[in-house]
Each structure stands twice: as structure tokens, then as C-alpha cells.
mmCIF file of all heavy atoms in Angstrom:
data_model
loop_
_atom_site.group_PDB
_atom_site.id
_atom_site.type_symbol
_atom_site.label_atom_id
_atom_site.label_comp_id
_atom_site.label_asym_id
_atom_site.label_seq_id
_atom_site.Cartn_x
_atom_site.Cartn_y
_atom_site.Cartn_z
ATOM 1 N N LEU A 1 -39.503 -83.482 -73.177
ATOM 2 C CA LEU A 1 -38.753 -83.807 -71.969
ATOM 3 C C LEU A 1 -37.274 -84.062 -72.247
ATOM 4 O O LEU A 1 -36.418 -83.699 -71.439
ATOM 5 C CB LEU A 1 -39.367 -85.025 -71.281
ATOM 6 C CG LEU A 1 -40.713 -84.783 -70.582
ATOM 7 C CD1 LEU A 1 -41.323 -86.099 -70.122
ATOM 8 C CD2 LEU A 1 -40.539 -83.838 -69.400
ATOM 9 N N ASP A 2 -36.950 -84.689 -73.386
ATOM 10 C CA ASP A 2 -35.534 -84.914 -73.649
ATOM 11 C C ASP A 2 -34.804 -83.603 -73.918
ATOM 12 O O ASP A 2 -33.653 -83.414 -73.516
ATOM 13 C CB ASP A 2 -35.306 -85.946 -74.759
ATOM 14 C CG ASP A 2 -35.806 -85.517 -76.123
ATOM 15 O OD1 ASP A 2 -36.156 -84.343 -76.293
ATOM 16 O OD2 ASP A 2 -35.842 -86.371 -77.030
ATOM 17 N N ASN A 3 -35.493 -82.642 -74.562
ATOM 18 C CA ASN A 3 -34.892 -81.325 -74.767
ATOM 19 C C ASN A 3 -34.761 -80.553 -73.456
ATOM 20 O O ASN A 3 -33.756 -79.861 -73.219
ATOM 21 C CB ASN A 3 -35.708 -80.514 -75.776
ATOM 22 C CG ASN A 3 -35.586 -81.053 -77.192
ATOM 23 O OD1 ASN A 3 -34.508 -81.465 -77.607
ATOM 24 N ND2 ASN A 3 -36.694 -81.073 -77.932
ATOM 25 N N ILE A 4 -35.792 -80.675 -72.607
ATOM 26 C CA ILE A 4 -35.724 -80.016 -71.302
ATOM 27 C C ILE A 4 -34.572 -80.596 -70.478
ATOM 28 O O ILE A 4 -33.822 -79.855 -69.818
ATOM 29 C CB ILE A 4 -37.063 -80.170 -70.557
ATOM 30 C CG1 ILE A 4 -38.145 -79.318 -71.213
ATOM 31 C CG2 ILE A 4 -36.912 -79.797 -69.079
ATOM 32 C CD1 ILE A 4 -39.526 -79.504 -70.616
ATOM 33 N N SER A 5 -34.425 -81.912 -70.506
ATOM 34 C CA SER A 5 -33.352 -82.567 -69.751
ATOM 35 C C SER A 5 -31.994 -82.053 -70.192
ATOM 36 O O SER A 5 -31.120 -81.750 -69.361
ATOM 37 C CB SER A 5 -33.425 -84.077 -69.937
ATOM 38 O OG SER A 5 -34.664 -84.589 -69.503
ATOM 39 N N PHE A 6 -31.803 -81.961 -71.500
ATOM 40 C CA PHE A 6 -30.528 -81.455 -72.018
ATOM 41 C C PHE A 6 -30.287 -80.016 -71.572
ATOM 42 O O PHE A 6 -29.194 -79.676 -71.087
ATOM 43 C CB PHE A 6 -30.510 -81.542 -73.541
ATOM 44 C CG PHE A 6 -29.396 -80.747 -74.177
ATOM 45 C CD1 PHE A 6 -28.068 -81.155 -74.047
ATOM 46 C CD2 PHE A 6 -29.679 -79.589 -74.885
ATOM 47 C CE1 PHE A 6 -27.045 -80.409 -74.617
ATOM 48 C CE2 PHE A 6 -28.672 -78.849 -75.459
ATOM 49 C CZ PHE A 6 -27.342 -79.259 -75.325
ATOM 50 N N ALA A 7 -31.304 -79.159 -71.703
ATOM 51 C CA ALA A 7 -31.145 -77.747 -71.344
ATOM 52 C C ALA A 7 -30.852 -77.586 -69.853
ATOM 53 O O ALA A 7 -29.969 -76.814 -69.452
ATOM 54 C CB ALA A 7 -32.397 -76.967 -71.728
ATOM 55 N N VAL A 8 -31.596 -78.326 -69.024
ATOM 56 C CA VAL A 8 -31.401 -78.219 -67.572
ATOM 57 C C VAL A 8 -30.012 -78.706 -67.179
ATOM 58 O O VAL A 8 -29.321 -78.071 -66.363
ATOM 59 C CB VAL A 8 -32.493 -79.015 -66.827
ATOM 60 C CG1 VAL A 8 -32.151 -79.142 -65.343
ATOM 61 C CG2 VAL A 8 -33.847 -78.351 -67.001
ATOM 62 N N LEU A 9 -29.564 -79.819 -67.746
ATOM 63 C CA LEU A 9 -28.242 -80.341 -67.411
ATOM 64 C C LEU A 9 -27.133 -79.417 -67.906
ATOM 65 O O LEU A 9 -26.085 -79.297 -67.264
ATOM 66 C CB LEU A 9 -28.072 -81.746 -67.983
ATOM 67 C CG LEU A 9 -28.858 -82.836 -67.251
ATOM 68 C CD1 LEU A 9 -28.805 -84.154 -68.010
ATOM 69 C CD2 LEU A 9 -28.323 -83.030 -65.834
ATOM 70 N N PHE A 10 -27.356 -78.766 -69.044
ATOM 71 C CA PHE A 10 -26.364 -77.808 -69.534
ATOM 72 C C PHE A 10 -26.227 -76.636 -68.569
ATOM 73 O O PHE A 10 -25.111 -76.230 -68.206
ATOM 74 C CB PHE A 10 -26.757 -77.319 -70.928
ATOM 75 C CG PHE A 10 -25.800 -76.309 -71.504
ATOM 76 C CD1 PHE A 10 -24.565 -76.708 -71.995
ATOM 77 C CD2 PHE A 10 -26.143 -74.960 -71.547
ATOM 78 C CE1 PHE A 10 -23.676 -75.778 -72.520
ATOM 79 C CE2 PHE A 10 -25.263 -74.033 -72.068
ATOM 80 C CZ PHE A 10 -24.025 -74.437 -72.557
ATOM 81 N N LEU A 11 -27.362 -76.072 -68.131
ATOM 82 C CA LEU A 11 -27.330 -74.977 -67.168
ATOM 83 C C LEU A 11 -26.769 -75.437 -65.823
ATOM 84 O O LEU A 11 -26.057 -74.686 -65.142
ATOM 85 C CB LEU A 11 -28.736 -74.401 -66.991
ATOM 86 C CG LEU A 11 -29.344 -73.721 -68.230
ATOM 87 C CD1 LEU A 11 -30.785 -73.312 -67.958
ATOM 88 C CD2 LEU A 11 -28.512 -72.514 -68.641
ATOM 89 N N THR A 12 -27.098 -76.672 -65.455
ATOM 90 C CA THR A 12 -26.568 -77.234 -64.207
ATOM 91 C C THR A 12 -25.051 -77.315 -64.248
ATOM 92 O O THR A 12 -24.358 -76.968 -63.284
ATOM 93 C CB THR A 12 -27.166 -78.630 -63.967
ATOM 94 O OG1 THR A 12 -28.582 -78.517 -63.803
ATOM 95 C CG2 THR A 12 -26.568 -79.276 -62.723
ATOM 96 N N MET A 13 -24.522 -77.793 -65.368
ATOM 97 C CA MET A 13 -23.074 -77.869 -65.531
ATOM 98 C C MET A 13 -22.435 -76.491 -65.378
ATOM 99 O O MET A 13 -21.422 -76.327 -64.690
ATOM 100 C CB MET A 13 -22.734 -78.467 -66.894
ATOM 101 C CG MET A 13 -21.250 -78.568 -67.182
ATOM 102 S SD MET A 13 -20.916 -79.078 -68.888
ATOM 103 C CE MET A 13 -21.433 -77.594 -69.779
ATOM 104 N N LEU A 14 -23.028 -75.480 -66.008
ATOM 105 C CA LEU A 14 -22.491 -74.124 -65.905
ATOM 106 C C LEU A 14 -22.509 -73.629 -64.463
ATOM 107 O O LEU A 14 -21.552 -72.986 -64.002
ATOM 108 C CB LEU A 14 -23.288 -73.172 -66.797
ATOM 109 C CG LEU A 14 -23.180 -73.389 -68.316
ATOM 110 C CD1 LEU A 14 -24.029 -72.362 -69.054
ATOM 111 C CD2 LEU A 14 -21.732 -73.311 -68.786
ATOM 112 N N CYS A 15 -23.585 -73.933 -63.749
ATOM 113 C CA CYS A 15 -23.675 -73.509 -62.341
ATOM 114 C C CYS A 15 -22.582 -74.141 -61.498
ATOM 115 O O CYS A 15 -21.942 -73.464 -60.674
ATOM 116 C CB CYS A 15 -25.050 -73.858 -61.775
ATOM 117 S SG CYS A 15 -26.404 -72.843 -62.412
ATOM 118 N N TYR A 16 -22.345 -75.425 -61.686
ATOM 119 C CA TYR A 16 -21.296 -76.094 -60.915
ATOM 120 C C TYR A 16 -19.920 -75.534 -61.259
ATOM 121 O O TYR A 16 -19.095 -75.290 -60.367
ATOM 122 C CB TYR A 16 -21.327 -77.601 -61.185
ATOM 123 C CG TYR A 16 -22.345 -78.353 -60.359
ATOM 124 C CD1 TYR A 16 -23.366 -79.078 -60.956
ATOM 125 C CD2 TYR A 16 -22.274 -78.358 -58.969
ATOM 126 C CE1 TYR A 16 -24.301 -79.778 -60.206
ATOM 127 C CE2 TYR A 16 -23.207 -79.055 -58.203
ATOM 128 C CZ TYR A 16 -24.211 -79.758 -58.825
ATOM 129 O OH TYR A 16 -25.122 -80.441 -58.073
ATOM 130 N N TRP A 17 -19.659 -75.354 -62.534
ATOM 131 C CA TRP A 17 -18.345 -74.869 -62.949
ATOM 132 C C TRP A 17 -18.089 -73.433 -62.491
ATOM 133 O O TRP A 17 -17.021 -73.120 -61.973
ATOM 134 C CB TRP A 17 -18.204 -74.972 -64.475
ATOM 135 C CG TRP A 17 -17.994 -76.371 -64.960
ATOM 136 C CD1 TRP A 17 -18.070 -77.515 -64.217
ATOM 137 C CD2 TRP A 17 -17.679 -76.790 -66.296
ATOM 138 N NE1 TRP A 17 -17.840 -78.622 -65.004
ATOM 139 C CE2 TRP A 17 -17.587 -78.197 -66.282
ATOM 140 C CE3 TRP A 17 -17.489 -76.102 -67.491
ATOM 141 C CZ2 TRP A 17 -17.301 -78.933 -67.427
ATOM 142 C CZ3 TRP A 17 -17.188 -76.834 -68.646
ATOM 143 C CH2 TRP A 17 -17.095 -78.237 -68.606
ATOM 144 N N VAL A 18 -19.068 -72.554 -62.705
ATOM 145 C CA VAL A 18 -18.900 -71.166 -62.268
ATOM 146 C C VAL A 18 -18.830 -71.101 -60.742
ATOM 147 O O VAL A 18 -18.082 -70.299 -60.172
ATOM 148 C CB VAL A 18 -20.056 -70.291 -62.802
ATOM 149 C CG1 VAL A 18 -19.944 -68.867 -62.254
ATOM 150 C CG2 VAL A 18 -20.040 -70.260 -64.327
ATOM 151 N N GLY A 19 -19.577 -71.970 -60.066
ATOM 152 C CA GLY A 19 -19.535 -72.007 -58.611
ATOM 153 C C GLY A 19 -18.167 -72.381 -58.073
ATOM 154 O O GLY A 19 -17.743 -71.890 -57.017
ATOM 155 N N VAL A 20 -17.451 -73.247 -58.784
ATOM 156 C CA VAL A 20 -16.090 -73.603 -58.377
ATOM 157 C C VAL A 20 -15.127 -72.466 -58.676
ATOM 158 O O VAL A 20 -14.218 -72.173 -57.888
ATOM 159 C CB VAL A 20 -15.645 -74.899 -59.091
ATOM 160 C CG1 VAL A 20 -14.152 -75.137 -58.900
ATOM 161 C CG2 VAL A 20 -16.422 -76.087 -58.559
ATOM 162 N N ALA A 21 -15.322 -71.815 -59.819
ATOM 163 C CA ALA A 21 -14.444 -70.704 -60.198
ATOM 164 C C ALA A 21 -14.619 -69.502 -59.274
ATOM 165 O O ALA A 21 -13.667 -68.763 -59.003
ATOM 166 C CB ALA A 21 -14.703 -70.301 -61.642
ATOM 167 N N PHE A 22 -15.852 -69.308 -58.784
ATOM 168 C CA PHE A 22 -16.148 -68.170 -57.892
ATOM 169 C C PHE A 22 -16.806 -68.708 -56.623
ATOM 170 O O PHE A 22 -18.039 -68.707 -56.496
ATOM 171 C CB PHE A 22 -17.064 -67.160 -58.590
ATOM 172 C CG PHE A 22 -16.488 -66.596 -59.863
ATOM 173 C CD1 PHE A 22 -16.816 -67.156 -61.091
ATOM 174 C CD2 PHE A 22 -15.601 -65.520 -59.821
ATOM 175 C CE1 PHE A 22 -16.285 -66.635 -62.262
ATOM 176 C CE2 PHE A 22 -15.070 -64.999 -60.986
ATOM 177 C CZ PHE A 22 -15.400 -65.559 -62.208
ATOM 178 N N PRO A 23 -15.999 -69.186 -55.677
ATOM 179 C CA PRO A 23 -16.544 -69.826 -54.465
ATOM 180 C C PRO A 23 -17.462 -68.923 -53.651
ATOM 181 O O PRO A 23 -18.302 -69.426 -52.894
ATOM 182 C CB PRO A 23 -15.282 -70.184 -53.665
ATOM 183 C CG PRO A 23 -14.170 -70.180 -54.666
ATOM 184 C CD PRO A 23 -14.536 -69.165 -55.689
ATOM 185 N N ASN A 24 -17.304 -67.610 -53.780
ATOM 186 C CA ASN A 24 -18.149 -66.707 -52.998
ATOM 187 C C ASN A 24 -19.605 -66.747 -53.434
ATOM 188 O O ASN A 24 -20.500 -66.362 -52.674
ATOM 189 C CB ASN A 24 -17.618 -65.272 -53.110
ATOM 190 C CG ASN A 24 -16.271 -65.107 -52.427
ATOM 191 O OD1 ASN A 24 -15.973 -65.825 -51.468
ATOM 192 N ND2 ASN A 24 -15.458 -64.180 -52.914
ATOM 193 N N LEU A 25 -19.850 -67.200 -54.671
ATOM 194 C CA LEU A 25 -21.228 -67.306 -55.161
ATOM 195 C C LEU A 25 -21.803 -68.648 -54.710
ATOM 196 O O LEU A 25 -21.985 -69.575 -55.497
ATOM 197 C CB LEU A 25 -21.262 -67.172 -56.686
ATOM 198 C CG LEU A 25 -20.721 -65.860 -57.260
ATOM 199 C CD1 LEU A 25 -20.708 -65.902 -58.783
ATOM 200 C CD2 LEU A 25 -21.572 -64.682 -56.771
ATOM 201 N N SER A 26 -22.095 -68.745 -53.435
ATOM 202 C CA SER A 26 -22.504 -70.021 -52.845
ATOM 203 C C SER A 26 -23.853 -70.511 -53.356
ATOM 204 O O SER A 26 -24.177 -71.696 -53.218
ATOM 205 C CB SER A 26 -22.551 -69.909 -51.322
ATOM 206 O OG SER A 26 -23.458 -68.877 -50.931
ATOM 207 N N ILE A 27 -24.632 -69.604 -53.947
ATOM 208 C CA ILE A 27 -25.959 -70.007 -54.421
ATOM 209 C C ILE A 27 -25.873 -70.873 -55.675
ATOM 210 O O ILE A 27 -26.766 -71.687 -55.937
ATOM 211 C CB ILE A 27 -26.831 -68.768 -54.689
ATOM 212 C CG1 ILE A 27 -28.287 -69.197 -54.898
ATOM 213 C CG2 ILE A 27 -26.310 -67.990 -55.906
ATOM 214 C CD1 ILE A 27 -29.258 -68.027 -55.013
ATOM 215 N N LEU A 28 -24.799 -70.741 -56.460
ATOM 216 C CA LEU A 28 -24.708 -71.475 -57.721
ATOM 217 C C LEU A 28 -24.668 -72.995 -57.526
ATOM 218 O O LEU A 28 -25.385 -73.719 -58.229
ATOM 219 C CB LEU A 28 -23.497 -70.994 -58.522
ATOM 220 C CG LEU A 28 -23.618 -69.589 -59.113
ATOM 221 C CD1 LEU A 28 -22.338 -69.205 -59.856
ATOM 222 C CD2 LEU A 28 -24.807 -69.501 -60.052
ATOM 223 N N PRO A 29 -23.843 -73.516 -56.607
ATOM 224 C CA PRO A 29 -23.886 -74.972 -56.401
ATOM 225 C C PRO A 29 -25.255 -75.468 -55.938
ATOM 226 O O PRO A 29 -25.672 -76.574 -56.298
ATOM 227 C CB PRO A 29 -22.822 -75.201 -55.319
ATOM 228 C CG PRO A 29 -21.891 -74.041 -55.459
ATOM 229 C CD PRO A 29 -22.763 -72.892 -55.839
ATOM 230 N N LYS A 30 -25.963 -74.641 -55.163
ATOM 231 C CA LYS A 30 -27.306 -75.033 -54.735
ATOM 232 C C LYS A 30 -28.257 -75.098 -55.927
ATOM 233 O O LYS A 30 -29.099 -75.994 -56.019
ATOM 234 C CB LYS A 30 -27.823 -74.043 -53.696
ATOM 235 C CG LYS A 30 -27.020 -74.033 -52.397
ATOM 236 C CD LYS A 30 -27.561 -73.006 -51.427
ATOM 237 C CE LYS A 30 -26.726 -72.980 -50.149
ATOM 238 N NZ LYS A 30 -27.209 -71.945 -49.191
ATOM 239 N N ILE A 31 -28.095 -74.143 -56.855
ATOM 240 C CA ILE A 31 -28.899 -74.185 -58.075
ATOM 241 C C ILE A 31 -28.532 -75.427 -58.881
ATOM 242 O O ILE A 31 -29.404 -76.068 -59.492
ATOM 243 C CB ILE A 31 -28.676 -72.909 -58.910
ATOM 244 C CG1 ILE A 31 -29.188 -71.685 -58.152
ATOM 245 C CG2 ILE A 31 -29.358 -73.022 -60.265
ATOM 246 C CD1 ILE A 31 -28.904 -70.367 -58.846
ATOM 247 N N GLY A 32 -27.235 -75.773 -58.891
ATOM 248 C CA GLY A 32 -26.797 -76.978 -59.596
ATOM 249 C C GLY A 32 -27.458 -78.230 -59.046
ATOM 250 O O GLY A 32 -27.915 -79.096 -59.801
ATOM 251 N N THR A 33 -27.515 -78.328 -57.724
ATOM 252 C CA THR A 33 -28.179 -79.483 -57.103
ATOM 253 C C THR A 33 -29.651 -79.534 -57.476
ATOM 254 O O THR A 33 -30.197 -80.599 -57.800
ATOM 255 C CB THR A 33 -28.035 -79.412 -55.577
ATOM 256 O OG1 THR A 33 -26.655 -79.382 -55.226
ATOM 257 C CG2 THR A 33 -28.686 -80.617 -54.921
ATOM 258 N N THR A 34 -30.297 -78.369 -57.464
ATOM 259 C CA THR A 34 -31.708 -78.303 -57.864
ATOM 260 C C THR A 34 -31.870 -78.730 -59.315
ATOM 261 O O THR A 34 -32.822 -79.442 -59.666
ATOM 262 C CB THR A 34 -32.244 -76.871 -57.672
ATOM 263 O OG1 THR A 34 -32.064 -76.473 -56.311
ATOM 264 C CG2 THR A 34 -33.722 -76.803 -58.040
ATOM 265 N N GLY A 35 -30.938 -78.314 -60.165
ATOM 266 C CA GLY A 35 -30.987 -78.710 -61.568
ATOM 267 C C GLY A 35 -30.873 -80.213 -61.745
ATOM 268 O O GLY A 35 -31.564 -80.803 -62.594
ATOM 269 N N MET A 36 -30.008 -80.841 -60.966
ATOM 270 C CA MET A 36 -29.876 -82.295 -61.035
ATOM 271 C C MET A 36 -31.179 -82.986 -60.634
ATOM 272 O O MET A 36 -31.576 -83.985 -61.235
ATOM 273 C CB MET A 36 -28.736 -82.769 -60.129
ATOM 274 C CG MET A 36 -27.356 -82.651 -60.746
ATOM 275 S SD MET A 36 -27.148 -83.860 -62.074
ATOM 276 C CE MET A 36 -25.410 -83.668 -62.415
ATOM 277 N N ILE A 37 -31.839 -82.452 -59.612
ATOM 278 C CA ILE A 37 -33.112 -83.027 -59.172
ATOM 279 C C ILE A 37 -34.167 -82.876 -60.271
ATOM 280 O O ILE A 37 -34.909 -83.824 -60.581
ATOM 281 C CB ILE A 37 -33.584 -82.356 -57.870
ATOM 282 C CG1 ILE A 37 -32.606 -82.659 -56.730
ATOM 283 C CG2 ILE A 37 -34.982 -82.820 -57.501
ATOM 284 C CD1 ILE A 37 -32.883 -81.899 -55.452
ATOM 285 N N ILE A 38 -34.229 -81.688 -60.880
ATOM 286 C CA ILE A 38 -35.207 -81.455 -61.953
ATOM 287 C C ILE A 38 -34.931 -82.381 -63.125
ATOM 288 O O ILE A 38 -35.860 -82.983 -63.697
ATOM 289 C CB ILE A 38 -35.157 -79.984 -62.404
ATOM 290 C CG1 ILE A 38 -35.642 -79.066 -61.276
ATOM 291 C CG2 ILE A 38 -35.998 -79.782 -63.665
ATOM 292 C CD1 ILE A 38 -35.460 -77.589 -61.566
ATOM 293 N N ALA A 39 -33.661 -82.509 -63.516
ATOM 294 C CA ALA A 39 -33.310 -83.386 -64.636
ATOM 295 C C ALA A 39 -33.663 -84.831 -64.329
ATOM 296 O O ALA A 39 -34.159 -85.562 -65.195
ATOM 297 C CB ALA A 39 -31.813 -83.263 -64.952
ATOM 298 N N ASN A 40 -33.426 -85.254 -63.090
ATOM 299 C CA ASN A 40 -33.751 -86.620 -62.696
ATOM 300 C C ASN A 40 -35.242 -86.893 -62.843
ATOM 301 O O ASN A 40 -35.650 -87.928 -63.388
ATOM 302 C CB ASN A 40 -33.297 -86.851 -61.250
ATOM 303 C CG ASN A 40 -33.549 -88.265 -60.767
ATOM 304 O OD1 ASN A 40 -34.616 -88.567 -60.252
ATOM 305 N ND2 ASN A 40 -32.570 -89.135 -60.933
ATOM 306 N N PHE A 41 -36.084 -85.953 -62.391
ATOM 307 C CA PHE A 41 -37.539 -86.130 -62.498
ATOM 308 C C PHE A 41 -38.002 -86.042 -63.953
ATOM 309 O O PHE A 41 -38.913 -86.773 -64.363
ATOM 310 C CB PHE A 41 -38.258 -85.089 -61.639
ATOM 311 C CG PHE A 41 -38.376 -85.482 -60.195
ATOM 312 C CD1 PHE A 41 -37.569 -84.894 -59.228
ATOM 313 C CD2 PHE A 41 -39.287 -86.444 -59.788
ATOM 314 C CE1 PHE A 41 -37.657 -85.267 -57.900
ATOM 315 C CE2 PHE A 41 -39.392 -86.827 -58.458
ATOM 316 C CZ PHE A 41 -38.572 -86.237 -57.510
#
């Protein structure tokens, strides 16, 4: 679980950052939010 948490948060960070760089990719921030929920659980 600690490895999964790290991997999910790393991918989540990338989704948020790329989502800001490319605002037209509106799905990325939504994936980021989902990643935060998964990491929290």
C-alpha cells in the first residue's frame, strides 16, 4: 500500500501539472482528483 500510494500520487501530480499546461485536456484534472481519492483510501 505504501508503494501504491507513492505511485498513485506521482501519477496524480503529473495529471494536475499536465492539465494546467494543456487546459484543453479537461479529463486530466478529473483523473487527478480520482487519484487523490484512491491515495486517500
